[in-house]
């Protein structure tokens, strides 16, 4: 039995940024042209037609992580071999960097080789500078030496087009006689190649004036047989075949350098450890891995598999044991599998200088499957050792595999006391991940169809990659002979839904009674097809997560597990994770591996042992597993709907209502109750449960952040891992809280009163505390699963390099913990927990959850994510600040009535002059007035949704606030609501604020004009300063002329005297106004002649002469139009040959408008009083064409009227006179 002390956090290897994949095709010739191109990441995320093509393009045959000593970022590099071993991919794997480093190492280098890369043919090295050296051995027996600048991983142009400057190709002479099969780099200038005939070849770089050269030195054991085997291809019991070549029994399959780089340690096929002196080119030590003497005929039985993982590690432990220079650890799969520790004092002394450490103890790997009936075969796949000071606090990481299963063990020990720790201190790594969570289950009561539930599951950020889902879609479509939509703009979500729906609709509807309604059949078929598609996804996903190697960064203590298409950072379990992932028996057996329990909430509480808490968590989980999928769904749904609503009932009533609505009585069986009692038996069953048990579990949730300053920031890759860790921790914690709540609800309702009276369990209090915690975790889960793209309606599409809201708004603010006190695996866990605390306010006691919620909403609105903002509105509090932001959301959605209501509800509190507390105070400049500081508070609290100018309207009185709302409606083109808030602002603005009132009346005037509210526009206009009235009066006159009742309103409004000449001038400035009038029964524009309205206006003011002048001008215009019409009609009549009878009705009867003008003008001129001019009824007028001026009398008008009547009489008598131009009625 082992304790789970670690957990893995997996991430995929999809590109972090689009367009940053550099593909370079290399050639065997140094002078060949280099093929180089930069491709978009979407190209690498395309669909593959089959599992084979997906495996070839996305799954690595070999991969690992190299931790360098480079001076600058990046310093960790993940490499993998793809495309049938012909492509080497390199990328940065740094989790953190210094805060003064602005560059992000997101470039991926894909180097293509002319022939396949050999297994074990990749090695990375550096000299601590700014250059990474990569050695690649191909099956063409070519050695490629690539010198890659560090900046190439954040600058795509860093690799020169001339490949000879950074890519060298060697073909050592030794390759002619023997085939190379493995290489190991001691440094950027020192390389060892193991040959198939058992020889070793070292290459040492020598700098010269002509450039760097590589010196070859060959090593062999000096026996005559080794030279003969190099010339003759022996194949027999003493050889093994590996990767297409035959290996001699003396061929090295594991190679490592001594710390001083003066000696070389190798493990050979024949189960032997050898040590070579590089300076003397000789073998100085050789011994069987288990220290046994074997006869030559026994060697074939213990020969090692050349494809086995690394079975040799060299490490240092300064001053651990006096006289020892360094140590080596080897593993032999024989004799039940044994590890051996070799202490090397002086390798050149042979067996007297090398000895077994703890030779009397058998160090076997732990047994992952203790069941004696199990037939699983577990093998050591890889191991790493390191850490510690003077042999103390060392770590051994062990990877064990059985087919597709694997387990990771950790052993912490002191080198001197290794045997004691070996038997008792092994701990395990939990491997539960996002992809292993339960898929959606069909529930008839679920209002969502299966597609929505499945899409939420499949497209959860980080669960599956885009390329995997695209390939699964292609495989599923091909299997069912379906075609996906050809719309290039269709998202992955849309294409998945369309293909599944096409398959469902192709199935016939069953008519038998047992099949149910067509709708029920459709829902059932939908679930079945999604389940089938999920199987394709799972098949591909299992291929992604096949472990390849362990990697261990010794300096900072960070273990990693590299998969075929991903990697996992192994981190320490959090305080609650340790309790949840282990059985009570394991926690009880290994108390020394756990921290002492404590409860900080109250000194009166009795600390609970981790094993006790594990019993409660295990019982609650087992109780939940007895529930059906439908019942679990109903419980989750009802709980979520009530968490964010203000409670209307007491806690006991809420528990009883929840119990009844979920249907506990029908769901919970007697066997489930008995099972729960049995699990809780060690605690005393229901009677033994106390409030302290539940509070002790809650106390293990993260609630405080680390306060030590850190100069580190997370890289993009580190943020990706951080978010995945948060997602997994959130899901685990939320599940525990939900399970505990189910137990509390059941005990409150079902347990007898005497049981509760005898226990110290306050169910109401525990229910409230659990509900509040679940409330926070539901919020954080929402942030962790929703992707922020910045569009109106975001598409759920993994692989688009879009960030979750949690990563975008919170993750970058949390700095990684410094590594001066703990390993990086422990620091990562602390950083994950710090992020959970930071989301809900951090250590800042002035930063409330309500303020965090509103800030998130502000960010969503600022970036145009109204779809997400609408969904996030469910979490918004009822504060004034939240109400204002809710109003902004309604305004963006076009829900103006709701927006105005929210703005008014928030008005009094948000306009009160008070500071804005919260996290953003630390970023506010202390200089400046209190008003400026408050404005900065609101500016920062709104995530800069409010500009500084807009923020000045808050906490500054109602007039300023309403003015701000007025601007919002104006910018959104809602004039009616803008006018309403202008009135409110005017209502609260003192009369002494002349400039403010002028602006508000101006705004009210413009809004009233747009809404045709003539009376409000007039009232606003007359209250404007006289200097500005003239600028806006034309707008009001125009509005009056174009409204249905405008002319009458123009005449009836009590205009001030100084408006009269301005209105007269405006009416006289244009000929006519034409506009569609709202509510008019006619669809034609309403046309009015301004001169007629001008005449009415002047007549209303008692200016008879001015009115007559206006009518006379209109009469001239209409008479001129009639003359032109008669001329045109005459020309048409003369051109007719044998024409038909003309219609003269209109000509005889005349024009009613002209008649009315003549009569009105004559009557008006007759009303002019004597003495107004020198001659009664006479005045100077301009002619119609604006030319000469002349005196017009009433007699001239009557004369013109008489001529018009005479003309009509001639026409009525049949005397036509077309084409004759009549002088302007003798009027001009």
């Amino acid at each position: 039995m082992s304790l789970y002390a670690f957990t893995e956090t997996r991430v995929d290897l999809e590109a972090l940024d689009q367009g940053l994949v550099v593909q370079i095709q290399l050639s065997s010739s140094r002078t060949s042209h280099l093929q180089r191109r930069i491709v978009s990441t979407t190209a690498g995320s395309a669909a593959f037609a089959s599992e084979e093509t997906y495996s070839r393009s996305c799954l690595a045959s070999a991969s690992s992580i190299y931790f360098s000593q480079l001076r600058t970022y990046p310093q960790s590099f993940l490499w993998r071999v793809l495309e049938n071993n012909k492509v080497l991919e390199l990328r940065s794997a740094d989790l953190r960097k210094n805060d003064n480093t602005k560059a992000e190492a997101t470039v991926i280098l894909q180097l293509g080789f002319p022939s396949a890369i050999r297994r074990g043919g990749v090695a990375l090295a550096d000299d601590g500078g700014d250059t990474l050296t990569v050695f690649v051995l191909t099956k063409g027996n070519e050695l490629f030496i690539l010198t890659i600048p560090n900046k190439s991983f954040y600058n795509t142009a860093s690799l020169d087009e001339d490949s000879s400057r950074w890519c060298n190709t060697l073909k050592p002479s030794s390759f002619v006689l023997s085939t190379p099969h493995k290489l190991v780099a001691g440094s950027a200038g020192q390389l060892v190649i193991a040959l198939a005939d058992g020889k070793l070849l070292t290459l040492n770089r020598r700098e010269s004036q002509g450039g760097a050269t590589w010196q070859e030195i060959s090593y062999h054991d000096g026996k005559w047989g080794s030279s003969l085997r190099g010339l003759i291809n022996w194949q027999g019991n003493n050889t093994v075949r590996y990767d297409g070549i035959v290996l001699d029994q003396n061929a090295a399959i594991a190679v490592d350098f001594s710390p001083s780089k003066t000696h070389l340690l190798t493990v050979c096929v024949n189960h032997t450890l050898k040590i070579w002196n590089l300076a003397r080119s000789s073998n100085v030590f050789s011994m069987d891995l288990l220290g046994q003497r074997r006869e030559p005929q026994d060697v074939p039985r213990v020969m090692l598999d050349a494809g086995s993982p690394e079975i040799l590690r060299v490490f240092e432990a300064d001053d651990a044991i006096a006289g020892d220079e360094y140590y080596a650890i080897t593993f032999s799969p024989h004799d039940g599998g044994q590890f051996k520790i070799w202490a090397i004092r002086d390798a050149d002394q042979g067996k007297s200088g090398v000895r077994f450490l703890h030779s009397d103890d058998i160090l076997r790997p732990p047994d992952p499957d203790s069941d004696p009936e199990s037939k699983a075969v577990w093998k050591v796949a890889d191991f790493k050792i390191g850490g510690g000071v003077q042999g103390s606090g060392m770590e051994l990481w062990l990877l064990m595999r059985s087919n597709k299963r694997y387990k990771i063990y950790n052993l912490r020990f002191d080198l001197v006391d290794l045997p004691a720790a070996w038997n008792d201190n092994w701990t395990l790594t939990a491997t539960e991940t996002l992809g292993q969570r339960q898929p959606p289950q069909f529930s008839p009561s679920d209002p969502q169809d299966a597609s929505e539930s499945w899409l939420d599951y499949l497209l959860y950020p980080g669960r599956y990659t885009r390329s995997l889902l695209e390939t699964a879609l292609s495989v599923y479509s091909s299997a069912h002979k379906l075609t996906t939509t050809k719309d290039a703009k269709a998202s992955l979500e849309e294409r998945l839904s369309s293909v599944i729906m096409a398959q469902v609709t192709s199935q016939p509807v069953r008519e038998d009674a047992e099949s149910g309604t067509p709708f029920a059949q459709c829902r059932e078929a939908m679930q079945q097809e999604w389940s089938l598609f999920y199987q394709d996804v799972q098949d591909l996903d299992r291929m992604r997560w096949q472990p390849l190697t362990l990697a261990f960064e010794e300096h900072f203590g960070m273990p990693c597990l590299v998969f075929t298409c991903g990697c996992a950072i192994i981190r320490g379990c959090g305080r609650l994770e340790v309790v949840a992932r282990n059985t009570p028996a394991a926690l009880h057996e290994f108390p020394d591996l756990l921290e002492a329990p404590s409860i900080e909430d109250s000194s009166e509480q009795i600390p609970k042992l981790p094993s006790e808490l594990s019993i409660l968590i295990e019982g609650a989980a087992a109780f939940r597993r007895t529930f059906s999928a439908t019942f679990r769904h109903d419980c989750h749904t009802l709980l979520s709907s009530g968490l964010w609503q203000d409670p209307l009932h007491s806690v006991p009533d809420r528990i009883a209502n929840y119990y009844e609505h979920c249907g506990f009585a029908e769901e919970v069986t007697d066997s489930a109750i008995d099972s729960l009692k049995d699990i809780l038996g060690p605690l005393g069953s229901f009677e033994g449960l106390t409030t302290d048990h539940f509070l002790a579990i809650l106390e293990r949730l993260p609630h405080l952040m680390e306060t030590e300053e850190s100069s580190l920031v997370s890289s993009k890759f580190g943020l990706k891992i951080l978010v995945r860790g948060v997602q997994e921790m959130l899901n685990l914690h939320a599940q525990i809280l939900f399970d505990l709540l189910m137990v509390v609800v059941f005990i409150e309702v079902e347990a007898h009163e005497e049981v509760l009276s005898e226990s110290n369990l306050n169910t109401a209090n525990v229910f409230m505390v659990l509900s509040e915690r679940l409330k926070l975790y539901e919020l954080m889960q929402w942030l962790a699963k929703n992707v922020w793209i910045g569009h109106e309606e975001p598409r759920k599409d993994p692989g688009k390099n879009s960030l979750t809201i949690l990563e975008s708004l919170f993750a970058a603010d949390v700095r990684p913990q410094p590594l001066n006190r703990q390993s990086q695996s422990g620091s990562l866990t602390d950083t994950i927990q710090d992020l959970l605390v930071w989301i809900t306010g951090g250590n800042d006691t002035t930063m409330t959850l309500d303020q965090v919620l509103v800030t998130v909403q502000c960010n969503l609105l600022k970036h145009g994510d109204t779809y997400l903002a609408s969904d996030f509105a469910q979490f918004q509090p009822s504060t004034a600040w939240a109400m204002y932001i809710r109003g902004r959301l309604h305004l963006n959605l076009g829900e103006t009535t709701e927006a105005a209501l929210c703005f008014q509800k928030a008005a009094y509190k948000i306009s009160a002059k008070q500071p804005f507390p919260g996290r953003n105070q630390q970023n506010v400049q202390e200089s400046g007035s209190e008003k400026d500081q408050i404005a900065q508070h609101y500016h920062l609290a709104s995530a800069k949704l409010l500009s500084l100018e807009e923020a000045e309207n808050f906490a500054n009185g109602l007039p300023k606030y309403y003015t701000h709302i007025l601007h919002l409606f104006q910018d959104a083109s809602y004039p009616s609501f803008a006018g309403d808030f202008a009135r409110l602002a005017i209502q609260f603005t003192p009369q002494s604020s002349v400039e403010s009132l002028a602006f508000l009346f101006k705004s009210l005037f413009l809004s009233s004009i747009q809404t045709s509210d003539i009376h409000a526009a007039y009232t606003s206009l007359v209250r404007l300063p006289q200097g500005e009235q003239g600028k806006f009066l034309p707008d009001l006159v125009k509005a009056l002329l174009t409204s249905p009742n405008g002319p009458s309103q123009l005449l009836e409004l009590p205009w001030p005297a100084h408006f009269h000449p301005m209105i007269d001038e405006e009416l006289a400035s244009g000929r006519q106004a034409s506009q569609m009038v709202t509510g008019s029964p006619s669809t034609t524009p309403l046309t009015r002649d301004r001169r007629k309205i001008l005449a009415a206006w002047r007549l209303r003011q008692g200016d008879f002469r001015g009115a007559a002048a206006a009518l006379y001008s209109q009469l001239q215009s209409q008479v001129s139009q009639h003359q032109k019409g008669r001329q045109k009609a005459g020309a048409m009549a003369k051109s007719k040959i044998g024409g038909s009878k003309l219609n003269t009705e209109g000509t005889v009867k005349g024009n009613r408008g002209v008649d009315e003008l003549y009569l009105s003008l004559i009557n008006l001129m007759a009303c002019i009083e004597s003495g107004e001019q020198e001659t009664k009824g006479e005045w100077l007028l301009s002619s119609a064409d604006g030319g000469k001026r002349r005196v017009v009398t009433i007699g001239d008008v009557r004369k013109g009227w008489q001529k018009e009547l005479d003309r009509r009489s001639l026409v009525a008598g049949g005397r036509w006179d077309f084409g004759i131009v009549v002088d302007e009625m003798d009027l001009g």
Side-chain angles (χ1 to χ4, degrees), residues 957-994:
L958 282 172
K960 289 285 187 179
Y961 172 75
Y962 284 135
T963 301
H964 167 66
I965 305 301
L966 159 67
H967 283 300
L968 293 180
F969 280 109
Q970 283 181 336
D971 294 341
S973 300
Y974 294 112
S976 61
F977 290 94
D980 293 339
F981 282 94
R983 294 184 184 92
L984 289 172
I986 293 171
Q987 178 182 350
F988 292 98
T989 302
Q991 295 299 318
S992 58
S993 302
V994 178

Side-chain angles (χ1 to χ4, degrees), residues 844-1124:
D844 187 357
T845 57
T846 64
M847 188 66 182
T848 65
L849 176 63
D850 290 347
Q851 294 165 14
V852 175
L853 296 174
V854 180
T855 301
V856 173
Q857 187 75 314
C858 290
N859 274 283
L860 296 175
L861 292 175
K862 178 187 176 183
H863 292 86
D865 283 323
T866 52
Y867 176 85
L868 287 178
S870 300
D871 192 26
F872 192 70
Q874 61 180 310
F875 303 112
Q876 292 302 294
S878 56
T879 61
W881 176 230
M883 192 61 63
Y884 164 79
I885 299 301
R886 187 185 294 272
R888 293 291 296 263
L889 171 61
H890 286 302
L891 186 60
N892 287 1
L893 294 172
E895 300 168 353
T896 52
T897 303
E898 293 82 357
L901 183 61
C902 290
F903 290 143
Q904 292 186 54
K905 286 182 178 180
Y908 284 96
K909 289 187 177 180
I910 209 171
S911 63
K913 297 183 179 181
Q914 57 186 3
F916 189 94
R919 174 181 298 163
N920 300 292
Q921 283 186 348
Q922 58 187 352
N923 298 322
V924 175
Q925 299 179 2
E926 295 183 0
S927 60
S929 63
E930 180 183 359
K931 174 184 175 182
D932 293 337
Q933 292 184 17
I934 293 176
Q936 290 184 49
H937 281 307
Y938 277 96
H939 172 64
L940 296 174
S942 66
K944 300 183 180 180
L945 175 67
L946 296 173
S947 65
L948 282 172
E949 292 75 13
E950 290 176 316
E952 291 177 355
N953 295 304
F954 290 79
N956 202 14
L958 282 172
K960 289 285 187 179
Y961 172 75
Y962 284 135
T963 301
H964 167 66
I965 305 301
L966 159 67
H967 283 300
L968 293 180
F969 280 109
Q970 283 181 336
D971 294 341
S973 300
Y974 294 112
S976 61
F977 290 94
D980 293 339
F981 282 94
R983 294 184 184 92
L984 289 172
I986 293 171
Q987 178 182 350
F988 292 98
T989 302
Q991 295 299 318
S992 58
S993 302
V994 178
E995 293 184 2
S996 298
L997 285 174
F999 170 78
L1000 293 173
F1001 283 124
K1002 188 189 306 180
S1003 300
L1004 179 58
F1005 171 81
L1006 295 175
S1007 300
S1008 302
I1009 289 296
Q1010 295 180 56
T1011 57
S1012 299
D1013 189 350
I1014 301 301
H1015 185 270
Y1018 167 79
T1019 304
S1020 304
L1021 181 63
V1022 297
R1023 298 185 68 177
L1024 283 173
Q1026 289 192 11
E1028 297 188 14
Q1029 291 175 346
K1031 293 188 295 185
F1032 297 98
L1033 179 61
D1035 295 327
L1036 179 56
V1037 173
K1038 181 179 178 180
L1040 285 165
L1041 295 179
T1042 55
S1043 62
N1045 299 320
S1048 61
Q1049 289 180 296
L1050 175 66
L1051 301 178
E1052 295 172 358
L1053 288 172
W1055 300 98
H1058 64 278
F1059 276 28
H1060 293 177
M1062 292 186 288
I1063 296 175
D1064 192 286
E1065 181 182 357
E1066 177 63 25
L1067 292 175
S1069 63
R1071 292 184 56 85
Q1072 63 182 17
S1074 177
Q1075 182 175 325
M1076 292 294 296
V1077 179
T1078 303
S1080 174
S1082 173
T1083 58
T1084 59
L1086 175 63
T1087 303
R1088 293 195 177 99
D1089 196 313
R1090 288 197 180 198
R1091 289 166 298 193
K1092 187 173 182 180
I1093 300 175
L1094 176 61
W1097 165 259
R1098 290 174 174 176
L1099 186 61
R1100 182 78 171 183
Q1101 307 305 321
D1103 182 7
F1104 293 96
R1105 176 188 170 188
L1111 289 180
Y1112 177 70
S1113 176
Q1114 184 182 11
L1115 178 61
Q1116 282 184 304
S1117 177
Q1118 292 208 14
V1119 169
S1120 176
Q1121 292 177 5
H1122 289 180
Q1123 289 176 352
K1124 293 178 181 179

Side-chain angles (χ1 to χ4, degrees), residues 1123-1141:
Q1123 289 176 352
K1124 293 178 181 179
R1126 290 197 298 272
Q1127 291 177 8
K1128 184 177 180 181
M1132 292 175 60
K1134 289 179 180 181
S1135 65
K1136 283 183 174 290
I1137 300 176
S1140 58
K1141 182 179 179 180

Side-chain angles (χ1 to χ4, degrees), residues 686-687 751-761:
F686 294 156
E687 296 87 345
H752 298 293
E753 293 184 2
E754 57 271 15
V755 173
L756 292 177
S757 62
E758 294 177 1
S759 68
N760 293 320
L761 176 61

